[in-house]
Amino acid sequence: MTGRPVEDENPIVPFLRIGPPPDRTRWEGWQQWRQIRDTFVPAPRLSLQEYADLSPKRRGLHDLHRTASHVNMRLQETPMSMRVSNLMRGRLENNAVKFMPGTRDGLMVNGGGFQGKTETACSAAAIFEDLWRSIHRQVLPGQLQLPGTRDVFVPVGYCRLPVRATPKALCKTILDIYGDPHPNNLDDLIRSVRDAVRDHNTTALLIDDVTRLRLHRGDDQDTLDLIRELMDLNVTLVLIGVDIPNSGLLRGAYIDPRTKQWVFPDVKRGKSHNEAASTQTERRFDMVDLDPFDYTTPAGITAFLEHLAGIEDQLRLFRSFDGMLTTGEMPEYLYRRTHGIVGLLRRLIEDGCTEAITSREERLTPELLARTSIRLGNLADLDPEAGEVPEIPPNVQPPKKPRRGRNTAFDDHGKQRAADG
């Protein structure tokens, strides 16, 4: 038996997406994404001979399937993302089983642009929701969702802060998660948000791009005050942003020397959006950083190599080989091109694979990647002023002559195999 696809005239191409991608800022889109997030099946591994034996049509489909495999690589955990995931899942679970009313400690996920903050946080929230839904099906069968009614079970809500944020805009963004109408005035909007979170049994609320609040406008400060007060809804608030410590969001906050948490004092009476704010405790957040790979320590180099090995295992290039990304000059070259930023590395590999297929080189080399620019795609929904668009390192030319002998930084990772071996 070989991995060669069966020749047929079936018009269905299972690896192509039908319709637009899921919109995670709506509960229906979030559920669609949660259920399909790990279901993509990559292209089968074919030899060049098996590929040559296919009809022209099937070769074209297989090339398209290979391309789809390269742009839909699975999310790989890194030591940095594991730290974020573990803290976030633990926080969500702990807060979800608390019986007493009151504020729930929140979480801030901090990092640079294209470092995987959103995907890491969403993945952790989806894993929690898988568990939470499983528990509720055992405890409350038949009460999770009533078709045609408003009170759909929405354990996790995800939204993005508008670029020009105001309390009204934030409320409307949260109500859009549930598909609820927008009242006209702010008091009614806030009341509707509170009702929606309660009625839909929302346990976790993720607010992305929170550092779009620059706090030089009164609306920015009012919006931040409203965000803090959402913690009174017995919901775990997860704020995701770029360079939170230097964004101004921590204005008025201090670190508790005992718990190492950021503490936000209560909003002063008269400015609060919550009538009961004066009776609430201070809001507390843990902040966790999602950093790029570190290439200055043995542990950092090892983590980067393991990440490259995971990427290499997902590639479908005919002339790839064990160690294509992890031996010789390649690891250092890839780090110099991306500064260890996961999103930039992913884009470089994606475009490099496209070039390798188009040019029929069918392997990745420093020379091929040197003529591949890192393209970040459509940036219309990103705010450069908030640091959401990272600085792209310039193209780095590979050494003119490969170094001989073993690379001392990678001695424990084996020798490169011959490309055609």
Side-chain angles (χ1 to χ4, degrees):
M1 293 288 292
T2 69
R4 184 170 60 185
V6 177
E7 293 279 355
D8 58 43
E9 295 301 323
N10 190 336
I12 297 177
V13 183
F15 58 86
L16 292 183
R17 186 185 70 239
I18 299 177
D23 180 0
R24 292 186 295 200
T25 65
R26 305 294 190 270
W27 75 266
E28 301 97 328
W30 175 273
Q31 294 308 315
Q32 182 185 359
W33 168 79
R34 183 180 64 84
Q35 294 166 8
I36 69 171
R37 67 187 191 277
D38 295 321
T39 60
F40 179 81
V41 178
R45 299 180 187 274
L46 303 184
S47 68
L48 277 172
Q49 185 58 54
E50 289 171 332
Y51 177 75
D53 290 342
L54 298 177
S55 68
K57 173 185 175 182
R58 298 301 298 190
R59 283 199 297 270
L61 286 176
H62 185 68
D63 286 343
L64 186 58
H65 198 172
R66 289 198 293 155
T67 298
S69 302
H70 297 152
V71 301
N72 290 287
M73 290 186 287
R74 67 179 181 275
L75 182 67
Q76 295 187 155
E77 282 196 328
T78 67
M80 302 80 74
S81 67
M82 287 179 63
R83 182 172 64 249
V84 174
S85 297
N86 291 339
L87 177 59
M88 183 171 166
R89 291 191 334 235
R91 179 59 46 81
L92 294 180
E93 292 174 12
N94 289 347
N95 287 347
V97 297
K98 286 184 178 179
F99 280 74
M100 298 301 293
T103 59
R104 301 291 188 254
D105 289 355
L107 187 65
M108 294 183 285
V109 181
N110 176 59
F114 278 71
Q115 288 179 188
K117 301 181 302 300
T118 297
E119 295 309 315
T120 298
C122 286
S123 178
I127 292 172
F128 163 76
E129 181 169 341
D130 291 342
L131 171 65
W132 201 236
R133 284 184 175 275
S134 174
I135 292 172
H136 276 70
R137 287 190 180 96
Q138 297 173 37
V139 177
L140 300 172
Q143 298 184 33
L144 288 176
Q145 181 175 333
L146 300 176
T149 66
R150 174 176 179 269
D151 298 339
V152 179
F153 185 46
V154 185
V156 174
Y158 169 82
C159 65
R160 302 180 64 189
L161 197 70
V163 174
R164 294 285 292 179
T166 64
K168 281 188 174 182
L170 175 60
C171 288
K172 292 177 181 179
T173 298
I174 295 174
L175 291 174
D176 284 343
I177 295 174
Y178 310 101
D180 286 2
H182 301 164
N184 291 326
N185 64 68
L186 180 58
D187 289 340
D188 289 341
L189 279 166
I190 295 172
R191 189 176 299 110
S192 295
V193 168
R194 294 179 180 279
D195 291 344
V197 171
R198 181 191 65 243
D199 294 344
H200 296 282
N201 293 290
T202 300
T203 302
L205 180 61
L206 282 61
I207 303 181
D208 205 349
D209 303 323
V210 71
T211 41
R212 290 177 174 178
L213 294 175
R214 309 311 296 173
L215 303 182
H216 61 281
R217 301 181 304 132
D219 282 340
D220 288 355
Q221 184 62 59
D222 291 342
T223 303
L224 179 59
D225 291 342
L226 177 58
I227 289 174
R228 295 173 188 171
E229 291 171 20
L230 293 176
M231 297 174 72
D232 298 343
L233 303 180
N234 293 336
V235 64
T236 301
L237 207 59
V238 180
L239 308 181
I240 308 167
V242 175
D243 194 15
I244 291 176
N246 295 316
S247 67
L249 293 181
L250 303 180
R251 183 182 303 173
Y254 63 91
I255 294 181
D256 186 324
R258 182 178 59 86
T259 64
K260 306 302 181 184
Q261 290 179 306
W262 284 93
V263 181
F264 291 84
D266 282 333
V267 178
K268 294 180 180 179
R269 179 179 289 275
K271 293 185 178 180
S272 175
H273 303 288
N274 176 12
E275 306 86 358
S278 60
T279 67
Q280 299 298 332
T281 60
E282 295 173 321
R283 282 80 175 169
R284 290 176 176 267
F285 284 87
D286 285 291
M287 181 154 53
V288 59
D289 296 313
L290 187 59
D291 299 316
F293 283 100
D294 177 17
Y295 207 69
T296 63
T297 66
I301 292 174
T302 298
F304 188 59
L305 287 172
E306 290 176 349
H307 189 74
L308 294 180
I311 293 176
E312 182 182 302
D313 184 61
Q314 300 182 67
L315 302 185
R316 296 296 189 265
L317 299 176
F318 291 129
R319 299 183 68 203
S320 64
F321 54 90
D322 291 342
M324 181 176 66
L325 301 183
T326 60
T327 58
E329 301 291 341
M330 186 63 93
E332 185 176 342
Y333 177 80
L334 290 172
Y335 189 86
R336 293 203 311 271
R337 282 294 304 274
T338 64
H339 292 176
I341 297 174
V342 172
L344 298 186
L345 176 64
R346 189 183 188 98
R347 288 297 178 93
L348 178 61
I349 296 297
E350 288 178 6
D351 291 343
C353 286
T354 299
E355 173 64 20
I357 293 174
T358 302
S359 66
R360 299 189 179 181
E361 293 186 44
E362 292 292 346
R363 72 172 77 180
L364 297 181
T365 64
E367 291 75 19
L368 181 142
L369 294 176
R371 61 178 189 265
T372 304
S373 299
I374 298 178
R375 300 179 180 86
L376 299 183
N378 184 7
L379 304 179
D381 62 343
L382 299 181
D383 182 7
E385 293 185 4
E388 295 168 14
V389 181
E391 181 180 351
I392 300 177
N395 283 18
V396 179
Q397 295 302 316
K400 294 182 179 179
K401 294 182 179 180
R403 286 181 284 181
R404 300 296 182 183
R406 301 182 68 182
N407 188 333
T408 56
F410 313 114
D411 280 350
D412 294 333
H413 297 273
K415 296 181 178 179
Q416 179 174 337
R417 291 172 53 186
D420 296 319

